[in-house]
Amino acid sequence: MFRRAPVRVLASCAVAIVAGAAAVHAQHDMHSMHSMHSTPNTLTAAEKAAGWTLLFDGTSMKGWHLYQKPGQTTGWEAKDGMLVKTATTGDLMSDRQFGSFEMVLEWKIESKGNSGIFFWATEGTEVVYQNAPEIQVLDNIGHRDGLSPLTSAGALYGLAPASPDLVKPLGEWNQVRVLVTGAIVETWFNGTKIADQVDFDSRAFKAMVAKTKFAQWPTYGLARKGSIGLQEHGNMIWYRNIKIREIK
């Protein structure tokens, strides 16, 4: 989102709660199961056996709708195996909702571009970022949000910082992984762990949110089940390999 970066003191709080988040590498090598070099938008036998499904089939907009507009996907298209934002429109939401889950996806964005990946998204507020946590999608070099680790590509926006150096050069695919178990959220960006065991029900987390702009929206981060959302922010953005498995 095109928003003022949180102040430095908030970054210190986030680092304290998300200990070493920007420097900790993932303990699991996801490339063994979700290779960026395999055929896009397909599932291997191992993935199917593990319960993975595709949120985007690579050829259609089936399973998606615009925020608060069921059945509509205007401005987003399935094109050349990618989910593409092609016109000024609204944020895109998955029809399915998820509580505890694991998700991986890939994205790339145009110069100066900005977007985001939401989870636990409901459609009861004016805009999705008023209720749903967001993983930042950004051209760190071309956009001012790239000046702060809390709003750089891969950050759990405003809450868990990501080193600006983690993003791939423009034109290359970036990978995001999200693991949600109950109220506990973990995220990875290009193989580096960002959000490390963030407990959305904890007093520490609620105290941190109280110091952010999200404090003005009383339902922010409260849902424990919701849609996956992709943000429309006026820029060209490409997504693919959106894979998810529910955790029972």
Side-chain angles (χ1 to χ4, degrees), residues 91-202:
D91 299 325
L92 193 67
M93 313 297 291
S94 67
D95 292 344
R96 293 174 60 192
Q97 296 192 343
F98 303 91
S100 295
F101 66 91
E102 184 176 11
M103 179 177 71
V104 294
L105 61 75
E106 296 168 20
W107 63 263
K108 60 181 180 179
I109 200 165
E110 69 175 343
S111 177
K112 302 180 181 180
N114 185 3
S115 183
I117 302 158
F118 298 98
F119 58 94
W120 287 340
T122 70
E123 299 184 52
T125 55
E126 182 179 359
V127 289
V128 64
Y129 62 78
Q130 293 176 351
N131 70 77
E134 174 190 354
I135 298 168
Q136 179 73 301
V137 171
L138 194 77
D139 169 21
N140 282 347
I141 294 177
H143 195 286
R144 71 179 188 180
D145 274 3
L147 297 174
S148 169
L150 280 168
T151 54
S152 291
L156 182 58
Y157 192 96
L159 301 170
S163 169
D165 297 332
L166 292 175
V167 71
K168 299 290 183 68
L170 283 178
E172 294 187 19
W173 290 100
N174 295 274
Q175 187 181 61
V176 169
R177 178 188 172 207
V178 185
L179 179 61
V180 177
T181 307
I184 308 298
V185 174
E186 299 177 84
T187 68
W188 290 258
F189 183 50
N190 289 329
T192 295
K193 199 168 195 180
I194 305 300
D196 186 12
Q197 296 282 324
V198 177
D199 185 351
F200 273 62
D201 284 344
S202 70

Side-chain angles (χ1 to χ4, degrees), residues 75 80 143 146 175 184 222 241 246:
D80 299 326
H143 195 286
Q175 187 181 61
I184 308 298
L222 294 185
N241 285 340
E246 294 187 80

Side-chain angles (χ1 to χ4, degrees), residues 1-243:
M1 299 174 190
F2 194 70
R3 301 156 291 197
R4 182 173 299 175
V7 295
R8 185 172 298 175
V9 66
L10 177 57
S12 298
C13 294
V15 172
I17 292 175
V18 190
V24 179
H25 287 272
Q27 298 299 311
H28 302 91
D29 183 6
M30 296 305 294
H31 291 285
S32 63
M33 180 174 286
H34 307 291
S35 174
M36 296 178 71
H37 303 290
S38 62
T39 304
N41 311 307
T42 60
L43 295 170
T44 65
E47 288 172 325
K48 291 177 182 178
W52 290 87
T53 60
L54 293 173
L55 269 186
F56 171 58
D57 63 16
T59 61
S60 75
M61 295 301 299
K62 182 179 179 181
W64 297 90
H65 67 274
L66 295 180
Y67 188 74
Q68 297 180 341
K69 296 180 180 179
Q72 298 185 41
T73 58
T74 304
W76 294 85
E77 296 181 12
K79 189 174 183 180
D80 299 326
M82 297 172 287
L83 183 50
V84 186
K85 204 274 318 187
T86 57
T88 300
T89 181
D91 299 325
L92 193 67
M93 313 297 291
S94 67
D95 292 344
R96 293 174 60 192
Q97 296 192 343
F98 303 91
S100 295
F101 66 91
E102 184 176 11
M103 179 177 71
V104 294
L105 61 75
E106 296 168 20
W107 63 263
K108 60 181 180 179
I109 200 165
E110 69 175 343
S111 177
K112 302 180 181 180
N114 185 3
S115 183
I117 302 158
F118 298 98
F119 58 94
W120 287 340
T122 70
E123 299 184 52
T125 55
E126 182 179 359
V127 289
V128 64
Y129 62 78
Q130 293 176 351
N131 70 77
E134 174 190 354
I135 298 168
Q136 179 73 301
V137 171
L138 194 77
D139 169 21
N140 282 347
I141 294 177
H143 195 286
R144 71 179 188 180
D145 274 3
L147 297 174
S148 169
L150 280 168
T151 54
S152 291
L156 182 58
Y157 192 96
L159 301 170
S163 169
D165 297 332
L166 292 175
V167 71
K168 299 290 183 68
L170 283 178
E172 294 187 19
W173 290 100
N174 295 274
Q175 187 181 61
V176 169
R177 178 188 172 207
V178 185
L179 179 61
V180 177
T181 307
I184 308 298
V185 174
E186 299 177 84
T187 68
W188 290 258
F189 183 50
N190 289 329
T192 295
K193 199 168 195 180
I194 305 300
D196 186 12
Q197 296 282 324
V198 177
D199 185 351
F200 273 62
D201 284 344
S202 70
R203 290 183 179 180
F205 178 79
K206 292 175 182 178
M208 182 168 62
V209 170
K211 298 176 182 179
T212 72
K213 65 178 293 178
F214 302 123
Q216 65 186 298
W217 299 307
T219 62
Y220 174 81
L222 294 185
R224 294 295 172 264
K225 186 175 184 178
S227 297
I228 304 300
L230 304 177
Q231 187 182 46
E232 192 281 317
H233 214 301
N235 308 112
M236 287 293 294
I237 176 73
W238 299 264
Y239 291 98
R240 70 177 188 181
N241 285 340
I242 309 175
K243 304 178 181 183

